[in-house]
Amino acid sequence: MGGSTLATGEAAWIMFGIFFLLLALRVPVAVSLGIACLPAFILEDRLWPMILVQETFNSYNSFILLAVPFFLLAANLMTAGGITDRLVKLSRSMVGHLPGGLAQINVVLSVFFAGISGSSTADAASQGKIFIEAQIKEGFAPSFSVAITAVSSVLAVVIPPSILMIVWGGVLTTSIGALFLAGILPGLFLALAQMGTVHVYSKARNYPTYERATWSELGYALFISIPALMTPFIIIGGKIFGWFTPTEAACVAVLYALTLSLLVYRKLNLRGLYTCFSETGRFAAITLFCVGTASVFGWLMAFYQIPQSVLAGVSSWEMGPIAAGFFIALVFLIVGCFLDAIPAIIIVGTIMQPIAAAAGIHPVHFAMISIVSLAFGLVTPPYGLCLLICCSIANLRLVDVLKDVILMLLPMLAVLVLLILWPGMALIIPSWLEPGFMQ
């Protein structure tokens, strides 16, 4: 870059070199991103270190990002208020009779929980405590129990309301309402792929199942779960009909969860309320700290015109929509193995956006390809945060469950390929329900 102390290539080598070195030393991702920016601020004559603080604060000064802690709080209130127990009963009534009954319940509950929390790490932590030990006691292999719990938890970033969709919409100015609607079909297809995998495993290993629930049992389970199931409809419906913004939807979800937990189910006490707020603060701080340091890293990349240098080479390939879709998916699959999804969106998403636009990929389709690809990174080493959480709950080494995780990811990869080849999987629902979001 003309007039800069560091050339574009030099800045890229310093920033990414320090970042990956710190990752290898097991320094947290958010801290690594911040430290990797410091040399540029010190060496560059036109910059000074206080810009690091200023740009971090600017990234937090976002009304949309307020939705993140509120959605996390709503999920914690629902869990503490006994709502999860009712959803477990409903899931058992629906799929408990299928091969591998408890593992099938695990997947279906992840679908329900995804419509409430939007956080895969929260899903992995809560369901890991519920299902891993229970599955092992019923005769499921420990590696299988950990793998299916971790893999099913990634549905929370694909099925709305997803925190990644909120961040994506805020950073890349894509309609969050359209993203919420676009995630429904890919999320359900991924859940069906996981249930099919459980079916094959259970037939091969003769895993236990439950008796089929009667219609009256299913009806009762559905009746007591209706208040909890209304949460995603309130959030998405309110956005579709223009009743509130994503941030306001998150606040409404919190008020609704409080009403259910305190007045309807009456399972939440003051101690539980304190725990919900403290856990929400902890998770939100981790998430938003990543947003802050990743935003500074992205700002420096723009300052040194690193994305333009990358795009100069890739643009000459003149890829069509399908080739560009596979290229984008491959990039995010690789990046997701090493980087948290939120920094990946802020740093890599902005680089990939012009490539998708040049190839004629719809912004919503581009977002869904990227988010689904990043979901794999939550269960793939060396990052694999959801997998690490589930392994720690079961006291298993990561290498002990890796084989089962890979086998479970193969059908999910087929869904990703289908998403790339068939844009309608992401676009048909938003185009049908709310065409205005697609403009």
Side-chain angles (χ1 to χ4, degrees):
M1 180 177 177
S4 297
T5 304
L6 297 174
T8 298
E10 292 172 338
W13 275 108
I14 290 173
M15 291 168 60
F16 285 98
I18 293 175
F19 172 64
F20 284 113
L21 174 62
L22 292 173
L23 281 187
L25 296 174
R26 305 192 69 80
V27 177
V29 172
V31 177
S32 300
L33 286 169
I35 294 175
C37 295
L38 281 176
F41 285 119
I42 294 171
L43 297 173
E44 186 60 54
D45 294 335
R46 295 186 295 167
L47 301 178
W48 63 308
M50 275 304 296
I51 295 179
L52 176 64
V53 179
Q54 178 183 329
E55 289 300 319
T56 301
F57 175 78
N58 288 342
S59 68
Y60 296 148
N61 191 22
S62 168
F63 183 70
I64 290 177
L65 286 182
L66 278 174
V68 173
F70 282 114
F71 275 128
L72 288 173
L73 178 57
N76 286 330
L77 288 171
M78 291 256 182
T79 302
I83 295 170
T84 302
D85 297 337
R86 288 161 173 79
L87 293 178
V88 169
K89 291 179 182 177
L90 176 60
S91 302
R92 176 167 178 167
S93 300
M94 292 173 61
V95 299
H97 61 281
L98 298 177
L102 191 56
Q104 301 280 11
I105 295 169
N106 195 340
V107 176
V108 173
L109 184 63
S110 289
V111 174
F112 291 145
F113 199 79
I116 298 171
S117 73
S119 170
S120 287
T121 51
D123 190 345
S126 62
Q127 291 199 208
K129 297 172 185 176
I130 297 172
F131 283 105
I132 292 177
E133 184 179 354
Q135 287 180 201
I136 294 173
K137 285 182 178 178
E138 289 199 6
F140 292 85
S143 61
F144 171 85
S145 303
V146 169
I148 192 59
T149 304
V151 168
S152 64
S153 69
V154 307
L155 295 174
V157 301
V158 181
I159 295 175
S162 162
I163 288 175
L164 294 193
M165 292 177 185
I166 295 169
V167 174
W168 186 284
V171 172
L172 297 174
T173 60
T174 306
S175 167
I176 297 176
L179 294 179
F180 279 179
L181 294 174
I184 295 174
L185 274 184
L188 294 178
F189 271 82
L190 288 172
L192 287 174
Q194 292 172 5
M195 292 178 70
T197 305
V198 171
H199 183 100
V200 173
Y201 260 92
S202 302
K203 286 292 187 180
R205 299 183 178 181
N206 198 29
Y207 284 151
T209 186
Y210 298 120
E211 291 184 6
R212 182 186 293 270
T214 63
W215 285 107
S216 61
E217 290 172 336
L218 177 59
Y220 175 73
L222 180 60
F223 175 75
I224 63 173
S225 302
I226 285 176
L229 295 175
M230 287 297 295
T231 306
F233 291 102
I234 292 173
I235 295 168
I236 299 171
K239 189 71 182 72
I240 291 174
F241 294 114
W243 295 338
F244 31 69
T245 66
T247 302
E248 292 165 348
C251 296
V252 170
V254 169
L255 294 175
Y256 184 68
L258 269 174
T259 302
L260 288 182
S261 301
L262 291 174
L263 302 179
V264 179
Y265 297 140
R266 300 181 181 181
K267 287 289 187 74
L268 186 63
N269 54 30
L270 289 177
R271 181 182 293 274
L273 192 62
Y274 171 80
T275 301
C276 289
F277 277 99
S278 60
E279 285 293 306
T280 300
R282 187 167 63 87
F283 271 107
I286 294 170
T287 301
L288 295 176
F289 186 39
C290 281
V291 171
T293 54
S295 297
V296 179
F297 197 91
W299 184 90
L300 270 180
M301 288 176 60
F303 179 84
Y304 286 109
Q305 297 183 356
I306 294 173
Q308 289 87 328
S309 300
V310 174
L311 291 173
V314 176
S315 299
S316 62
W317 298 354
E318 298 182 353
M319 294 181 288
I322 293 177
F326 279 107
F327 175 75
I328 291 166
L330 178 63
V331 169
F332 277 109
L333 284 170
I334 295 172
V335 169
C337 292
F338 301 95
L339 195 59
D340 184 73
I342 290 177
I345 289 172
I346 297 172
I347 297 169
V348 183
T350 52
I351 298 177
M352 294 291 107
Q353 189 177 35
I355 296 175
I361 299 176
H362 193 283
V364 174
H365 187 211
F366 163 53
M368 289 314 305
I369 292 173
S370 307
I371 290 172
V372 171
S373 301
L374 284 172
F376 285 79
L378 292 167
V379 288
T380 50
Y383 181 69
L385 185 56
C386 290
L387 182 58
L388 293 175
I389 290 172
C390 291
C391 284
S392 65
I393 292 173
N395 292 319
L396 286 180
R397 297 182 305 164
L398 189 144
V399 293
D400 295 331
V401 302
L402 204 52
K403 178 183 176 182
D404 286 322
V405 169
I406 292 172
L407 291 175
M408 292 179 188
L409 290 180
L410 292 178
M412 294 172 62
L413 276 173
V415 174
L416 176 59
V417 171
L418 181 60
L419 173 63
I420 295 170
L421 297 176
W422 178 39
M425 185 191 294
L427 303 181
I428 191 169
I429 292 182
S431 298
W432 176 46
L433 289 181
E434 192 53 60
F437 287 161
M438 304 296 288
Q439 302 300 321

